[in-house]
């Protein structure tokens, strides 16, 4: 049996709806959609290049970050099951090692936790815990936040 190619029939209505809702932030929403595609190739990029950008979208309240994130996850049908707001670095890394589908991390509360996660994901780092052993991410998270990580050089360089 020859598998059918995935259809892009749903992409046009999604882009139209995003354009109507996001207005001047529509270009930013396109970047979020693109980051979802990048996330699907995380493992390959880390293996080939030794690193992969980890998408981090920051901006003010009401700019559409969460909506764009849900739209990006909807490309894979995971806009409900892979949408998180809080978690420890270890728990998020564990989720990222289970499936190649990217997860959305919306409005996290601890910048240092997310900053450390972004550095780990950029470098393709393996995490080790006593209870879970080695955890190797096979995708990346897409983070939306109201804070900016660029004040710390360690995070800004990623």
């Amino acid at each position: 049996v020859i598998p059918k190619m995935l259809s892009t029939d749903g992409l046009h209505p999604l882009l139209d709806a995003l354009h109507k809702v996001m207005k001047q932030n529509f270009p930013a929403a396109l970047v979020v959609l693109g980051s979802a595609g990048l996330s699907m190739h995380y493992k390959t990029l880390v293996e080939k290049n030794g690193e992969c950008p980890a998408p981090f979208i920051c901006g003010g309240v009401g700019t559409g970050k969460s909506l764009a994130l849900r739209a990006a996850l909807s490309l894979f049908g995971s806009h409900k099951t892979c949408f998180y707001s809080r978690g420890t670095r270890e728990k998020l890394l564990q989720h990222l090692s289970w499936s190649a589908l990217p997860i959305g991390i919306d409005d996290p509360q601890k910048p240092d936790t997310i900053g450390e996660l972004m550095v780990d994901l950029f470098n393709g780092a393996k995490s080790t815990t006593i209870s879970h052993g080695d955890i190797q991410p096979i995708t990346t998270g897409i983070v939306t936040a109201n804070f900016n990580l660029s004040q710390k050089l360690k995070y800004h360089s990623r």
Side-chain angles (χ1 to χ4, degrees):
V1 175
I2 300 173
K4 292 183 180 180
M5 292 292 291
L6 293 176
S7 172
T8 58
D9 293 343
L11 191 56
H12 195 277
L14 175 67
L15 292 174
D16 282 345
L18 267 179
H19 190 259
K20 288 177 187 168
V21 174
M22 298 291 287
K23 298 180 176 40
Q24 73 273 10
N25 287 335
F26 179 66
L30 292 177
V31 172
V32 177
L33 291 176
S35 69
L38 171 109
S39 299
M40 290 296 294
H41 300 283
Y42 173 80
K43 187 176 178 183
T44 302
L45 290 168
V46 168
E47 287 172 355
K48 185 173 181 174
N49 303 319
E51 59 190 35
C52 178
F56 180 83
I57 297 92
C58 65
V61 175
T63 55
K65 298 178 305 294
S66 298
L67 177 65
L69 175 58
R70 284 192 186 272
L73 294 174
S74 77
L75 295 172
F76 315 109
S78 61
H79 55 287
K80 293 180 182 175
T81 58
C82 293
F83 193 80
Y84 301 93
S85 83
R86 286 172 187 76
T88 64
R89 178 185 147 276
E90 291 76 20
K91 196 59 159 170
L92 292 169
L93 282 171
Q94 187 177 18
H95 280 285
L96 295 167
S97 70
W98 291 341
S99 168
L101 292 176
I103 66 169
I105 306 166
D106 185 52
D107 201 20
Q109 301 303 305
K110 297 182 179 178
D112 282 339
T113 299
I114 294 303
E116 291 169 6
L117 178 68
M118 294 286 100
V119 170
D120 289 346
L121 291 172
F122 179 86
N123 294 325
K126 189 183 292 186
S127 178
T128 301
T129 63
I130 293 171
S131 58
H132 299 296
D134 287 349
I135 299 171
Q136 180 68 56
I138 55 175
T139 190
T140 189
I142 304 168
V143 179
T144 63
N146 297 325
F147 54 80
N148 190 337
L149 290 175
S150 67
Q151 285 78 27
K152 292 192 177 184
L153 183 60
K154 169 171 121 172
Y155 305 146
H156 180 69
S157 64
R158 298 334 189 258

